[in-house]
Amino acid sequence: MAKYKGINQLSGLDRVVVGLMVVVPTLLVVWLVWAPAIGSVLLSFTNWDGVGPIADAKFIGIQNYRDVVSIYPPFWPAVQHNLIWLAVMFLVATPFGMFLAVLLDRELRGTRVYQTAIYLPVVLSLALVGFIWQLIYSRDQGLINQVTGSTIDWYGDPRYNLWAALVASSWRHVGYVMLLYLAGLKGVDPSLREAAKVDGANERTTFFKVVFPVMAPINIIVLVITVIESLRAFDLAWVINKGRNGLELLGTLVTSNVVGEASRIGFGSAIATIMLVLSSFFVALYIRYIMREQQ
């Protein structure tokens, strides 16, 4: 049996390889994640419009944040829409994904086929999901209007487009939640269910009183993922109508200000920073939970 080598026993070449395996990913994360994030926070306190060198940007303090919450009309509708997005993902799509996981955990006939079919939308981008659902929502040739005989513009009418987008997004989210809970159910000790059955508990009681609490780590992961996905919802709304006319979201506001015609880098960075703070709050809760479990 080969003996384990400590870091002091590695050869010079091995140490170089190990060092590169640590340093290169770290540099990539710093360059592609942390540097842009910190840069956005710093730019949010300036009036830089993207034209000319950054050195010409003027520091204006929290003026961008004041303008965002006070004189920027799309901001509060976008916040409301993001909250609705979060509520639907958390209260509808997530429980439905968990329900499907419970059904598939029973090893029904054709389980593998069902798992593949439900999970397939997860590998698709939200932009592609939007195009696929266009075949269903199209006013002139969509499946819904062809079957019902209506002429509703599901993607264009502000009374319906948010809910139409939520259905399309939930279609993708359900598969992801199903996979996470299915993995969690496979890891539950069978003896716990057997003990509950001996005590006379039915399947419903066993799941909510025994199985569900055991999957607490999965529940936290799903919660964090759901919150982050709801806050960063962008692709679908941008594909539909660039986040306008009833589909305003924080993500689309950032893009329209940073790379749109307005080209207000500082202003858009302020909205991005607000999204970063909100997302970081839930990530911090998850990290705190993990650290507490490890202790």
Side-chain angles (χ1 to χ4, degrees), residues 246-289:
L247 266 179
E248 295 85 358
L249 297 172
L250 292 176
T252 61
L253 295 186
V254 172
T255 303
S256 61
N257 280 279
V258 172
V259 300
E261 297 178 358
S263 187
R264 297 186 294 178
I265 307 298
F267 191 80
S269 296
I271 303 176
T273 302
I274 293 174
M275 293 178 58
L276 177 64
V277 171
L278 295 175
S279 301
S280 299
F281 173 76
F282 291 95
V283 172
L285 289 180
Y286 172 68
I287 295 175
R288 179 181 179 185
Y289 172 82

Side-chain angles (χ1 to χ4, degrees), residues 18-287:
V18 172
L20 290 175
M21 293 175 64
V22 174
V23 173
V24 172
T26 301
L27 291 178
L28 288 175
V29 170
V30 171
W31 179 253
L32 299 177
V33 178
W34 286 105
I38 296 174
S40 295
V41 174
L42 296 178
L43 287 174
S44 68
F45 298 103
T46 70
N47 65 346
W48 191 46
D49 58 2
V51 179
I54 299 181
D56 294 340
K58 180 181 178 181
F59 179 79
I60 59 174
I62 62 173
Q63 186 60 46
N64 284 328
Y65 295 93
R66 291 176 179 171
D67 293 344
V68 165
V69 300
S70 61
I71 63 173
Y72 188 47
F75 177 73
W76 289 112
V79 172
Q80 181 182 6
H81 295 161
N82 273 106
L83 291 176
I84 293 175
W85 203 289
L86 173 61
V88 172
M89 293 294 105
F90 185 71
L91 299 177
V92 179
T94 296
F96 186 58
M98 182 173 61
F99 173 72
L100 292 177
V102 173
L103 291 181
L104 295 176
D105 185 54
R106 297 184 177 184
E107 300 293 340
L108 302 175
R109 185 176 181 180
T111 296
R112 297 295 182 184
V113 177
Y114 297 140
Q115 288 182 20
T116 303
I118 297 172
Y119 183 74
L120 186 59
V122 180
V123 304
L124 306 176
S125 67
L126 274 175
L128 184 56
V129 169
F131 286 121
I132 292 174
W133 278 83
Q134 175 66 29
L135 302 175
I136 300 175
Y137 289 141
S138 177
R139 179 177 57 184
D140 300 323
Q141 300 177 348
L143 178 62
I144 295 179
N145 287 350
Q146 290 291 327
V147 173
T148 61
S150 63
T151 57
I152 298 176
D153 187 0
W154 297 96
Y155 271 171
D157 194 327
R159 295 176 298 175
Y160 306 108
N161 56 10
L162 176 63
W163 305 106
L166 283 170
V167 171
S169 181
S170 298
W171 179 61
R172 182 176 183 270
H173 186 71
V174 163
Y176 195 17
V177 173
M178 179 271 298
L179 183 68
L180 292 175
Y181 273 115
L182 190 59
L185 289 170
K186 298 297 183 183
V188 175
D189 190 350
S191 62
L192 296 176
R193 301 186 184 187
E194 294 175 0
K197 186 176 181 180
V198 171
D199 291 339
N202 55 32
E203 292 188 7
R204 180 179 179 180
T205 302
T206 300
F207 177 78
F208 286 105
K209 298 295 184 180
V210 179
V211 177
F212 189 73
V214 171
M215 295 193 299
I218 301 295
N219 297 331
I220 298 297
I221 292 174
V222 171
L223 173 62
V224 173
I225 290 176
T226 302
V227 171
I228 294 177
E229 287 293 322
S230 300
L231 288 175
R232 62 182 292 271
F234 161 77
D235 314 53
L236 189 58
W238 192 261
V239 166
I240 293 174
N241 62 6
K242 295 187 176 181
R244 302 169 182 170
N245 194 29
L247 266 179
E248 295 85 358
L249 297 172
L250 292 176
T252 61
L253 295 186
V254 172
T255 303
S256 61
N257 280 279
V258 172
V259 300
E261 297 178 358
S263 187
R264 297 186 294 178
I265 307 298
F267 191 80
S269 296
I271 303 176
T273 302
I274 293 174
M275 293 178 58
L276 177 64
V277 171
L278 295 175
S279 301
S280 299
F281 173 76
F282 291 95
V283 172
L285 289 180
Y286 172 68
I287 295 175

